[in-house]
Amino acid sequence: MSEPTTTASTSMLKPVFCCAFAIALGSTEPATRKEYREPLSAEFPDARTAASPISLPENGSDYAAPSRLQIAQSVRQTLARHGLKVDRQQNSSESILFEFFNENRAGVEIYDTGEIVVVVSNDGVINAIELGIQDANRIVDLVKNGFRA
Amino acid sequence: MASEPDYHGFDIPFRLWRLGREIQEIRDDDWIYWRHPPLEPGTSYGSRIPSVDGKDHLENQSVHSAYLLSPGGPRHALFNTKNGCHHLDFQIARLNVGDLHNKTFPNRVVITRTKERIDAYTFRLVHDPHARMYSHCIIEARKKMPDDARPAPPKDVPKVLRTAINQYFAQLADENRPEMDAYYNPGVPAPISVPELIIKAILCAVALFYEKATGRRLPLKEVERFTS
Protein backbone atom coordinates (compact mmCIF):
# COMPACT_ATOMS: atom_id res chain seq x y z
CA MET A 1 0.00 0.00 0.00
CA SER A 2 2.85 2.37 0.69
CA GLU A 3 4.40 2.09 -2.81
CA PRO A 4 1.80 4.16 -4.71
CA THR A 5 1.88 6.84 -2.00
CA THR A 6 5.66 7.24 -2.34
CA THR A 7 5.44 7.46 -6.11
CA ALA A 8 2.66 10.02 -5.92
CA SER A 9 4.52 12.18 -3.42
CA THR A 10 7.78 12.07 -5.37
CA SER A 11 6.05 12.91 -8.62
CA MET A 12 4.48 15.89 -6.87
CA LEU A 13 7.88 16.93 -5.56
CA LYS A 14 9.52 16.79 -8.97
CA PRO A 15 8.46 20.27 -10.13
CA VAL A 16 9.58 21.68 -6.78
CA PHE A 17 13.01 20.09 -7.16
CA CYS A 18 13.23 21.30 -10.73
CA CYS A 19 12.44 24.88 -9.70
CA ALA A 20 14.91 24.75 -6.82
CA PHE A 21 17.67 23.55 -9.10
CA ALA A 22 16.84 26.04 -11.78
CA ILE A 23 17.12 28.85 -9.20
CA ALA A 24 20.39 27.44 -7.90
CA LEU A 25 21.77 27.22 -11.40
CA GLY A 26 20.53 30.67 -12.17
CA SER A 27 22.37 32.25 -9.26
CA THR A 28 25.74 31.84 -10.89
CA GLU A 29 27.55 34.20 -13.17
CA PRO A 30 27.95 33.21 -16.82
CA ALA A 31 29.83 29.97 -16.91
CA THR A 32 28.89 28.56 -20.27
CA ARG A 33 31.91 27.45 -22.17
CA LYS A 34 30.44 28.20 -25.57
CA GLU A 35 32.50 30.96 -27.01
CA TYR A 36 31.40 33.16 -29.81
CA ARG A 37 33.37 35.80 -31.52
CA GLU A 38 32.92 37.12 -34.98
CA PRO A 39 36.03 38.54 -36.57
CA LEU A 40 36.20 42.31 -36.28
CA SER A 41 36.17 42.44 -40.01
CA ALA A 42 36.33 39.55 -42.37
CA GLU A 43 35.55 41.80 -45.26
CA PHE A 44 38.54 44.07 -45.16
CA PRO A 45 42.05 42.70 -44.80
CA ASP A 46 44.70 44.53 -42.89
CA ALA A 47 46.08 47.37 -44.95
CA ARG A 48 49.58 46.04 -44.31
CA THR A 49 48.78 42.86 -46.19
CA ALA A 50 46.81 44.54 -48.93
CA ALA A 51 47.70 44.44 -52.60
CA SER A 52 50.69 46.10 -54.18
CA PRO A 53 51.41 49.79 -53.57
CA ILE A 54 48.89 52.07 -55.17
CA SER A 55 49.01 55.44 -56.77
CA LEU A 56 45.99 57.57 -56.19
CA PRO A 57 44.55 59.55 -59.11
CA GLU A 58 45.13 63.27 -59.21
CA ASN A 59 42.34 65.53 -58.06
CA GLY A 60 39.80 66.19 -60.75
CA SER A 61 40.90 63.28 -62.90
CA ASP A 62 38.45 60.95 -64.59
CA TYR A 63 39.60 57.87 -62.69
CA ALA A 64 37.17 56.04 -60.47
CA ALA A 65 37.25 57.14 -56.86
CA PRO A 66 39.75 55.15 -54.78
CA SER A 67 38.33 52.62 -52.39
CA ARG A 68 38.44 52.97 -48.64
CA LEU A 69 41.19 50.38 -48.47
CA GLN A 70 43.30 52.23 -51.02
CA ILE A 71 42.88 55.51 -49.17
CA ALA A 72 43.69 53.80 -45.88
CA GLN A 73 46.83 52.28 -47.32
CA SER A 74 47.90 55.60 -48.75
CA VAL A 75 47.28 57.41 -45.46
CA ARG A 76 49.15 54.74 -43.56
CA GLN A 77 52.14 54.98 -45.86
CA THR A 78 52.15 58.77 -45.62
CA LEU A 79 52.07 58.63 -41.84
CA ALA A 80 54.80 55.99 -41.77
CA ARG A 81 57.02 58.19 -43.92
CA HIS A 82 56.79 60.81 -41.18
CA GLY A 83 57.67 58.32 -38.48
CA LEU A 84 54.10 57.84 -37.24
CA LYS A 85 53.46 54.18 -36.58
CA VAL A 86 49.86 53.09 -36.24
CA ASP A 87 49.44 51.58 -32.75
CA ARG A 88 46.14 49.87 -33.42
CA GLN A 89 43.83 49.45 -36.38
CA GLN A 90 40.10 48.82 -36.03
CA ASN A 91 38.07 47.84 -39.04
CA SER A 92 34.31 48.19 -39.02
CA SER A 93 31.77 47.63 -41.74
CA GLU A 94 31.90 51.27 -42.72
CA SER A 95 35.31 52.58 -41.75
CA ILE A 96 38.96 51.88 -41.00
CA LEU A 97 40.34 53.55 -37.90
CA PHE A 98 44.02 54.11 -37.21
CA GLU A 99 44.77 54.83 -33.58
CA PHE A 100 47.87 56.44 -32.12
CA PHE A 101 48.50 56.12 -28.41
CA ASN A 102 50.47 59.33 -28.24
CA GLU A 103 49.84 62.29 -25.96
CA ASN A 104 47.24 63.65 -28.39
CA ARG A 105 45.29 60.39 -28.41
CA ALA A 106 44.98 60.79 -32.14
CA GLY A 107 42.82 58.79 -34.49
CA VAL A 108 42.40 58.81 -38.25
CA GLU A 109 39.18 57.29 -39.53
CA ILE A 110 38.63 56.60 -43.22
CA TYR A 111 35.01 56.09 -44.21
CA ASP A 112 33.48 54.27 -47.16
CA THR A 113 32.36 57.56 -48.57
CA GLY A 114 35.97 58.74 -48.82
CA GLU A 115 35.78 61.11 -45.88
CA ILE A 116 38.82 61.19 -43.63
CA VAL A 117 38.21 62.33 -40.08
CA VAL A 118 41.12 63.14 -37.81
CA VAL A 119 40.31 63.24 -34.11
CA VAL A 120 42.67 64.50 -31.44
CA SER A 121 42.18 65.06 -27.77
CA ASN A 122 43.92 67.82 -25.84
CA ASP A 123 43.22 68.25 -22.14
CA GLY A 124 40.00 66.28 -22.41
CA VAL A 125 38.66 68.40 -25.27
CA ILE A 126 38.03 66.39 -28.40
CA ASN A 127 38.53 67.99 -31.79
CA ALA A 128 37.36 66.17 -34.89
CA ILE A 129 38.24 67.57 -38.28
CA GLU A 130 36.99 66.42 -41.65
CA LEU A 131 39.71 66.33 -44.28
CA GLY A 132 40.35 64.91 -47.73
CA ILE A 133 43.10 62.75 -49.18
CA GLN A 134 44.75 65.89 -50.52
CA ASP A 135 45.28 67.15 -46.95
CA ALA A 136 48.00 64.62 -46.14
CA ASN A 137 50.31 67.17 -44.54
CA ARG A 138 47.53 68.45 -42.32
CA ILE A 139 46.73 64.90 -41.22
CA VAL A 140 50.36 64.28 -40.31
CA ASP A 141 50.57 67.60 -38.45
CA LEU A 142 47.40 66.92 -36.47
CA VAL A 143 48.48 63.42 -35.47
CA LYS A 144 51.93 64.68 -34.47
CA ASN A 145 51.09 67.92 -32.75
CA GLY A 146 47.39 67.83 -31.99
CA PHE A 147 45.03 70.66 -32.70
CA ARG A 148 46.22 74.19 -32.23
CA ALA A 149 43.62 76.91 -32.61
CA MET B 1 11.89 47.75 -29.51
CA ALA B 2 12.51 44.73 -27.33
CA SER B 3 13.22 41.56 -29.24
CA GLU B 4 12.36 38.16 -27.91
CA PRO B 5 15.32 35.83 -27.45
CA ASP B 6 15.69 32.82 -29.70
CA TYR B 7 16.77 30.53 -26.90
CA HIS B 8 15.39 29.50 -23.52
CA GLY B 9 17.80 31.52 -21.36
CA PHE B 10 17.67 29.09 -18.44
CA ASP B 11 21.37 29.63 -17.79
CA ILE B 12 20.68 33.31 -17.14
CA PRO B 13 19.79 33.99 -13.48
CA PHE B 14 16.05 34.39 -12.91
CA ARG B 15 16.56 37.65 -11.07
CA LEU B 16 17.91 39.13 -14.32
CA TRP B 17 14.78 38.14 -16.24
CA ARG B 18 12.14 40.74 -16.90
CA LEU B 19 9.26 38.75 -15.38
CA GLY B 20 6.65 41.42 -16.03
CA ARG B 21 8.60 44.30 -14.56
CA GLU B 22 7.93 47.71 -16.04
CA ILE B 23 10.11 49.92 -18.21
CA GLN B 24 11.94 52.51 -16.14
CA GLU B 25 13.56 55.87 -16.66
CA ILE B 26 17.33 55.71 -16.48
CA ARG B 27 18.74 57.84 -13.70
CA ASP B 28 21.54 60.32 -14.29
CA ASP B 29 23.55 58.93 -11.39
CA ASP B 30 23.46 55.43 -12.84
CA TRP B 31 26.33 53.65 -14.62
CA ILE B 32 26.18 51.68 -17.82
CA TYR B 33 28.09 48.52 -18.63
CA TRP B 34 29.23 48.11 -22.21
CA ARG B 35 30.74 44.76 -23.16
CA HIS B 36 33.34 44.59 -25.89
CA PRO B 37 36.10 42.33 -27.24
CA PRO B 38 39.13 42.52 -24.97
CA LEU B 39 41.84 45.08 -25.55
CA GLU B 40 45.47 44.11 -25.72
CA PRO B 41 47.04 44.27 -22.27
CA GLY B 42 48.32 47.68 -21.34
CA THR B 43 46.55 49.52 -24.15
CA SER B 44 43.94 52.21 -23.69
CA TYR B 45 40.58 52.50 -25.40
CA GLY B 46 42.18 54.95 -27.80
CA SER B 47 39.62 56.38 -30.19
CA ARG B 48 36.85 53.81 -30.00
CA ILE B 49 35.48 51.09 -27.76
CA PRO B 50 35.89 47.94 -29.91
CA SER B 51 32.73 46.69 -31.57
CA VAL B 52 31.33 43.24 -30.81
CA ASP B 53 30.36 42.45 -34.39
CA GLY B 54 32.52 44.77 -36.48
CA LYS B 55 29.70 47.28 -36.92
CA ASP B 56 29.37 50.74 -35.52
CA HIS B 57 26.18 50.89 -33.47
CA LEU B 58 26.39 54.52 -32.47
CA GLU B 59 22.70 55.14 -33.22
CA ASN B 60 21.51 52.28 -31.03
CA GLN B 61 24.31 50.94 -28.89
CA SER B 62 23.32 48.09 -26.60
CA VAL B 63 24.38 48.47 -22.94
CA HIS B 64 23.22 47.50 -19.43
CA SER B 65 22.13 49.71 -16.57
CA ALA B 66 24.13 48.99 -13.41
CA TYR B 67 21.19 50.00 -11.21
CA LEU B 68 18.74 47.70 -12.99
CA LEU B 69 21.30 44.91 -13.08
CA SER B 70 21.88 44.99 -9.33
CA PRO B 71 22.37 42.93 -7.24
CA GLY B 72 24.12 41.37 -10.23
CA GLY B 73 27.65 42.48 -10.99
CA PRO B 74 29.18 43.81 -14.19
CA ARG B 75 29.96 40.33 -15.49
CA HIS B 76 26.24 39.70 -15.88
CA ALA B 77 26.46 42.07 -18.83
CA LEU B 78 28.32 39.28 -20.62
CA PHE B 79 25.17 37.19 -21.04
CA ASN B 80 24.07 37.03 -24.64
CA THR B 81 20.27 36.85 -24.66
CA LYS B 82 20.10 36.45 -28.41
CA ASN B 83 21.56 32.97 -28.82
CA GLY B 84 23.05 31.97 -25.49
CA CYS B 85 26.65 32.22 -26.68
CA HIS B 86 27.85 34.31 -23.77
CA HIS B 87 30.84 36.57 -24.22
CA LEU B 88 32.84 35.24 -21.30
CA ASP B 89 36.19 36.50 -22.46
CA PHE B 90 34.98 40.02 -23.19
CA GLN B 91 35.88 43.12 -21.23
CA ILE B 92 33.37 45.53 -19.76
CA ALA B 93 33.56 49.29 -20.07
CA ARG B 94 31.78 51.45 -17.51
CA LEU B 95 30.42 54.89 -18.33
CA ASN B 96 28.58 57.42 -16.23
CA VAL B 97 25.04 57.98 -17.48
CA GLY B 98 25.22 61.66 -16.56
CA ASP B 99 28.05 62.13 -19.07
CA LEU B 100 25.93 61.17 -22.04
CA HIS B 101 22.23 61.08 -21.20
CA ASN B 102 20.42 64.02 -22.82
CA LYS B 103 23.72 65.61 -23.79
CA THR B 104 23.92 67.48 -27.07
CA PHE B 105 26.87 67.05 -29.42
CA PRO B 106 28.89 68.88 -30.62
CA ASN B 107 29.47 70.90 -27.48
CA ARG B 108 32.36 72.54 -25.62
CA VAL B 109 34.09 69.22 -25.03
CA VAL B 110 33.38 67.57 -28.36
CA ILE B 111 34.17 70.02 -31.15
CA THR B 112 33.76 69.31 -34.84
CA ARG B 113 35.27 71.25 -37.71
CA THR B 114 33.72 70.79 -41.10
CA LYS B 115 33.28 72.77 -44.30
CA GLU B 116 29.52 72.54 -44.00
CA ARG B 117 27.43 73.02 -40.92
CA ILE B 118 26.29 69.78 -39.32
CA ASP B 119 23.23 69.05 -37.23
CA ALA B 120 23.46 68.62 -33.49
CA TYR B 121 22.56 65.26 -31.95
CA THR B 122 21.41 64.24 -28.53
CA PHE B 123 21.97 60.90 -26.86
CA ARG B 124 19.32 59.33 -24.70
CA LEU B 125 19.56 56.22 -22.62
CA VAL B 126 16.43 54.18 -23.16
CA HIS B 127 15.47 51.20 -21.04
CA ASP B 128 14.83 48.33 -23.47
CA PRO B 129 14.30 45.20 -21.36
CA HIS B 130 14.56 41.79 -22.96
CA ALA B 131 12.53 38.87 -21.65
CA ARG B 132 15.69 37.32 -20.20
CA MET B 133 17.57 40.53 -19.38
CA TYR B 134 15.71 43.29 -17.61
CA SER B 135 18.67 45.66 -17.39
CA HIS B 136 19.18 45.97 -21.15
CA CYS B 137 19.28 49.55 -22.42
CA ILE B 138 20.03 51.35 -25.66
CA ILE B 139 22.00 54.52 -26.19
CA GLU B 140 19.85 56.19 -28.79
CA ALA B 141 21.09 59.00 -31.02
CA ARG B 142 18.52 61.55 -32.11
CA LYS B 143 18.81 64.64 -34.20
CA LYS B 144 18.41 67.72 -32.07
CA MET B 145 15.22 69.48 -33.06
CA PRO B 146 14.56 73.20 -32.55
CA ASP B 147 11.48 72.29 -30.61
CA ASP B 148 12.51 69.66 -28.10
CA ALA B 149 8.95 68.55 -27.54
CA ARG B 150 8.76 67.26 -31.09
CA PRO B 151 10.11 63.72 -31.41
CA ALA B 152 12.70 63.11 -34.08
CA PRO B 153 13.43 59.69 -35.55
CA PRO B 154 16.86 58.14 -35.05
CA LYS B 155 19.07 59.09 -37.95
CA ASP B 156 22.59 58.52 -39.17
CA VAL B 157 25.03 60.66 -37.27
CA PRO B 158 27.42 62.67 -39.51
CA LYS B 159 30.80 60.98 -39.91
CA VAL B 160 32.85 63.67 -38.24
CA LEU B 161 30.56 63.70 -35.22
CA ARG B 162 30.50 59.92 -35.16
CA THR B 163 34.29 59.73 -34.88
CA ALA B 164 34.34 62.45 -32.22
CA ILE B 165 31.64 60.81 -30.09
CA ASN B 166 33.30 57.41 -30.36
CA GLN B 167 36.45 59.00 -28.98
CA TYR B 168 34.41 60.69 -26.24
CA PHE B 169 32.93 57.34 -25.19
CA ALA B 170 36.40 55.76 -25.26
CA GLN B 171 37.72 58.58 -23.08
CA LEU B 172 34.92 58.05 -20.57
CA ALA B 173 35.59 54.31 -20.53
CA ASP B 174 39.30 54.90 -19.89
CA GLU B 175 38.45 56.85 -16.73
CA ASN B 176 36.97 53.68 -15.20
CA ARG B 177 39.39 51.24 -16.76
CA PRO B 178 41.41 50.36 -13.62
CA GLU B 179 38.27 49.38 -11.66
CA MET B 180 36.74 47.46 -14.52
CA ASP B 181 39.89 45.48 -15.23
CA ALA B 182 39.08 43.52 -12.07
CA TYR B 183 36.08 42.03 -13.86
CA TYR B 184 38.06 40.81 -16.84
CA ASN B 185 38.27 37.07 -16.41
CA PRO B 186 38.70 35.50 -19.81
CA GLY B 187 36.85 32.25 -20.16
CA VAL B 188 37.11 31.26 -16.52
CA PRO B 189 33.84 30.95 -14.57
CA ALA B 190 33.58 33.20 -11.56
CA PRO B 191 34.58 31.54 -8.27
CA ILE B 192 31.59 30.11 -6.46
CA SER B 193 30.66 31.72 -3.13
CA VAL B 194 30.48 29.64 0.07
CA PRO B 195 26.70 30.09 0.74
CA GLU B 196 26.02 29.23 -2.88
CA LEU B 197 28.19 26.13 -2.54
CA ILE B 198 26.29 25.03 0.57
CA ILE B 199 22.91 25.52 -1.10
CA LYS B 200 24.05 23.59 -4.15
CA ALA B 201 25.42 20.78 -1.99
CA ILE B 202 22.08 20.50 -0.13
CA LEU B 203 20.17 20.47 -3.38
CA CYS B 204 22.46 17.81 -4.79
CA ALA B 205 21.90 15.68 -1.70
CA VAL B 206 18.16 16.08 -2.16
CA ALA B 207 18.53 15.13 -5.80
CA LEU B 208 20.45 12.00 -4.89
CA PHE B 209 17.74 11.11 -2.38
CA TYR B 210 15.12 11.70 -5.06
CA GLU B 211 17.02 9.44 -7.46
CA LYS B 212 17.32 6.71 -4.89
CA ALA B 213 13.65 6.92 -3.92
CA THR B 214 12.22 6.99 -7.42
CA GLY B 215 14.92 5.41 -9.55
CA ARG B 216 14.77 8.40 -11.86
CA ARG B 217 17.11 11.33 -12.27
CA LEU B 218 16.15 14.97 -12.29
CA PRO B 219 16.67 16.19 -15.84
CA LEU B 220 19.21 18.85 -14.94
CA LYS B 221 22.80 19.23 -16.02
CA GLU B 222 23.94 20.10 -12.51
CA VAL B 223 22.72 16.81 -11.14
CA GLU B 224 24.25 14.96 -14.04
CA ARG B 225 27.58 16.57 -13.35
CA PHE B 226 27.62 15.67 -9.68
CA THR B 227 26.25 12.16 -10.00
CA SER B 228 28.16 10.96 -13.06
Side-chain angles (χ1 to χ4, degrees):
Chain A
M1 287 297 282
S2 63
E3 187 63 27
T5 314
T6 311
T7 311
S9 63
T10 50
S11 64
M12 282 170 68
L13 280 175
K14 187 177 175 181
V16 178
F17 287 145
C18 286
C19 287
F21 270 98
I23 290 165
L25 285 173
S27 68
T28 56
E29 287 192 342
T32 314
R33 279 287 181 182
K34 284 184 282 180
E35 289 184 8
Y36 173 76
R37 173 106 62 90
E38 286 182 4
L40 280 180
S41 175
E43 189 182 351
F44 302 104
D46 191 318
R48 285 170 295 190
T49 57
S52 57
I54 50 124
S55 56
L56 292 175
E58 296 294 323
N59 284 337
S61 71
D62 292 334
Y63 294 117
S67 73
R68 173 177 68 167
L69 193 61
Q70 286 175 316
I71 296 173
Q73 196 180 5
S74 172
V75 168
R76 192 175 188 126
Q77 285 169 353
T78 306
L79 292 165
R81 274 202 298 275
H82 289 82
L84 294 164
K85 186 176 166 290
V86 174
D87 290 310
R88 186 168 64 200
Q89 178 177 334
Q90 288 196 52
N91 298 348
S92 75
S93 57
E94 55 186 35
S95 71
I96 294 173
L97 172 67
F98 296 142
E99 292 172 278
F100 302 86
F101 299 146
N102 54 12
E103 58 181 19
N104 302 315
R105 201 190 179 108
V108 180
E109 189 152 24
I110 298 114
Y111 284 95
D112 270 348
T113 45
E115 291 151 301
I116 299 174
V117 178
V118 181
V119 62
V120 288
S121 182
N122 298 106
D123 301 324
V125 177
I126 294 163
N127 278 280
I129 303 156
E130 198 179 274
L131 297 168
I133 188 70
Q134 69 279 6
D135 303 314
N137 291 336
R138 181 91 170 114
I139 295 171
V140 170
D141 181 49
L142 283 166
V143 172
K144 258 187 179 170
N145 305 313
F147 183 80
R148 286 166 296 183
Chain B
M1 206 162 8
S3 55
E4 288 301 312
D6 297 332
Y7 91 113
H8 53 75
F10 286 131
D11 50 348
I12 296 176
F14 285 174
R15 62 188 147 84
L16 301 180
W17 291 19
R18 182 173 182 181
L19 300 174
R21 287 184 281 178
E22 295 195 343
I23 291 174
Q24 293 198 24
E25 285 289 317
I26 304 299
R27 300 161 15 159
D28 274 357
D29 61 346
D30 197 356
W31 297 91
I32 52 168
Y33 296 133
W34 177 330
R35 71 176 178 227
H36 61 82
L39 301 169
E40 285 176 31
T43 58
S44 78
Y45 280 101
S47 298
R48 186 198 288 162
I49 298 173
S51 169
V52 171
D53 56 3
K55 291 176 189 166
D56 192 351
H57 297 281
L58 192 67
E59 284 84 7
N60 52 0
Q61 176 63 47
S62 180
V63 292
H64 292 267
S65 153
Y67 175 71
L68 299 175
L69 198 61
S70 63
R75 277 184 67 79
H76 285 123
L78 301 178
F79 284 119
N80 182 353
T81 56
K82 202 173 177 184
N83 54 19
C85 299
H86 308 310
H87 302 284
L88 297 178
D89 59 342
F90 274 23
Q91 270 181 313
I92 306 146
R94 189 176 75 169
L95 284 76
N96 192 337
V97 171
D99 288 332
L100 56 100
H101 188 46
N102 287 333
K103 294 271 187 234
T104 302
F105 299 93
N107 53 30
R108 280 185 302 175
V109 177
V110 177
I111 300 163
T112 55
R113 294 164 200 281
T114 52
K115 288 168 193 160
E116 294 168 11
R117 193 178 162 277
I118 59 164
D119 294 316
Y121 279 76
T122 55
F123 284 78
R124 277 191 328 133
L125 211 64
V126 182
H127 185 205
D128 175 38
H130 288 177
R132 299 291 182 261
M133 188 56 74
Y134 180 61
S135 63
H136 184 256
C137 298
I138 283 178
I139 305 174
E140 201 179 74
R142 282 179 183 266
K143 192 174 166 184
K144 177 85 172 167
M145 301 301 279
D147 175 10
D148 280 338
R150 194 153 54 101
K155 203 188 161 193
D156 284 350
V157 178
K159 303 285 188 283
V160 65
L161 190 57
R162 177 179 291 272
T163 304
I165 291 169
N166 276 327
Q167 173 128 336
Y168 177 67
F169 287 164
Q171 206 163 281
L172 293 177
D174 260 335
E175 288 172 14
N176 299 302
R177 179 82 190 278
E179 292 162 53
M180 296 312 290
D181 271 352
Y183 297 100
Y184 178 46
N185 188 10
V188 181
I192 193 165
S193 67
V194 174
E196 201 177 321
L197 189 67
I198 293 167
I199 292 168
K200 284 193 173 178
I202 292 168
L203 288 172
C204 284
V206 172
L208 287 170
F209 173 77
Y210 174 88
E211 188 187 333
K212 210 163 187 177
T214 62
R216 289 196 301 268
R217 283 183 177 185
L218 283 172
L220 290 165
K221 286 178 189 171
E222 190 79 356
V223 183
E224 290 287 336
R225 205 174 70 194
F226 277 88
T227 54
S228 60

